[in-house]
Amino acid sequence: MLAGCSGVLDPQGPVGAGEKLILLDALAIMLAIVIPVIVATLAFAWWFRASNSRARYLPDWEFSGRIELVVWSIPALVIMFLGGLAWISSHELDPARPLPAGQARPLEVDVVSLDWKWLFIYPSQGVASVNELVVPAGTPLHFRLTSGSVMTAFFVPQLGSMIYTMNGMVTELNLMADAPGTFQGRSAHYSGDGFSDMHFEVRALAAQEFSAWVAEARRSAAELDVRTYEALEQPAGNAAPSVFGRVAPRLFEDVAAQVIPPAPGPGAAGAAAVTGGGAR
């Protein structure tokens, strides 16, 4: 029954923690009116029961200013509190707003959603991965996201802030993992037959372990050039995690600017290729 608690209710980063606080605050504000209404409903039903001779019956009653004041003022206050909460938090948790970095330099990651897999490019490190996002724990992460095909949504529930990816556009997202761990990422927008397999693993590592992973990735003989990317963007689900030791310059920019044409999408041409794989 508590399986869902490992998601948004178990945040592992400052953005996820902020979103959990919003949920709890909104719940408390709404319960401030819901609980009294439930109690009053039960109390009125009990007091005005047929056997209670002490209950006053007023057949000609039609208006009470005090009751009207309570009936309208409390919901108005609830709406004001919820609106203020949404206004403040929407600015504090703006996906494009950089997180406090301190002395840690944010890690840049470019994300391309494909049919039906995720491509992660590390421009500063010169490596890339498919269906596996490896990041250093305690370091702010700055994502640039686009789609090589149809619109979809990038979401790591424990880190927070779902955001859409769209072909020909770039969105930004700032997240951070507080401590080392493994988290589940997924597509949160239906995009065709292989949508259910469009998930990935986020591995937050200690700084030394992340450096070791980058060094190992650079030793891979696989290269992500335009030809390799065009093969990746063909519809295929269940893609195994893979890494590329070299990445063609400005590949992400060319995808976002549609210099590299978008994939045909999950239509008739790709419906027969729902399953596939990748090589490390």
Side-chain angles (χ1 to χ4, degrees):
M1 292 177 64
L2 297 177
C5 293
S6 62
V8 295
L9 296 181
D10 181 28
Q12 299 296 320
V15 177
E19 293 176 346
K20 177 183 177 181
L21 181 61
I22 293 172
L23 288 174
L24 296 179
D25 287 346
L27 177 63
I29 292 172
M30 290 184 288
L31 286 179
I33 188 173
V34 171
I35 292 178
V37 167
I38 294 175
V39 172
T41 300
L42 297 175
F44 272 68
W46 178 82
W47 181 254
F48 290 102
R49 67 193 186 277
S51 60
N52 186 12
S53 59
R54 294 179 296 169
R56 295 177 61 194
Y57 178 58
L58 303 174
D60 298 325
W61 179 88
E62 62 181 16
F63 178 79
S64 170
R66 288 178 294 180
I67 292 178
E68 291 292 328
L69 178 63
V70 172
V71 167
W72 288 104
S73 63
I74 294 180
L77 289 174
V78 170
I79 293 173
M80 290 174 60
F81 289 148
L82 288 175
L85 178 66
W87 175 275
I88 296 172
S89 59
S90 64
H91 286 81
E92 290 182 345
L93 297 177
D94 183 351
R97 182 179 181 179
L99 297 176
Q103 296 182 351
R105 184 177 180 181
L107 174 68
E108 300 289 334
V109 183
D110 295 336
V111 182
V112 182
S113 61
L114 301 168
D115 301 321
W116 290 274
K117 61 189 78 71
W118 292 93
L119 172 63
F120 304 102
I121 301 173
Y122 301 78
S124 299
Q125 288 72 26
V127 299
S129 63
V130 172
N131 278 354
E132 183 181 52
L133 176 60
V134 182
V135 299
T139 299
L141 310 172
H142 176 238
F143 296 95
R144 295 190 302 168
L145 306 99
T146 191
S147 172
S149 178
V150 297
M151 183 174 72
T152 186
F154 174 92
F155 189 29
V156 183
Q158 289 180 274
L159 300 185
S161 286
M162 180 190 76
I163 194 165
Y164 281 93
T165 65
M166 293 162 280
N167 185 251
M169 298 183 65
V170 175
T171 51
E172 294 185 62
L173 177 63
N174 290 273
L175 298 175
M176 186 172 71
D178 287 333
T182 301
F183 318 113
Q184 296 302 312
R186 65 195 63 170
S187 169
H189 186 89
Y190 181 73
S191 58
D193 293 339
F195 159 76
S196 60
D197 299 318
M198 196 173 175
H199 47 76
F200 58 94
E201 196 171 73
V202 181
R203 292 198 294 138
L205 307 176
Q208 299 85 352
E209 294 176 334
F210 176 74
S211 299
W213 178 84
V214 171
E216 180 183 356
R218 286 172 175 166
R219 290 194 290 268
S220 172
E223 179 178 359
L224 182 61
D225 53 16
V226 175
R227 184 175 180 180
T228 306
Y229 171 80
E230 290 176 343
L232 272 178
E233 69 177 356
Q234 297 305 309
N238 290 317
S242 59
V243 296
F244 299 90
R246 292 173 300 282
V247 181
R250 296 188 58 81
L251 179 65
F252 177 83
E253 288 77 5
D254 289 345
V255 173
Q258 298 180 326
V259 174
I260 301 176
V274 176
T275 60
R280 185 177 294 275

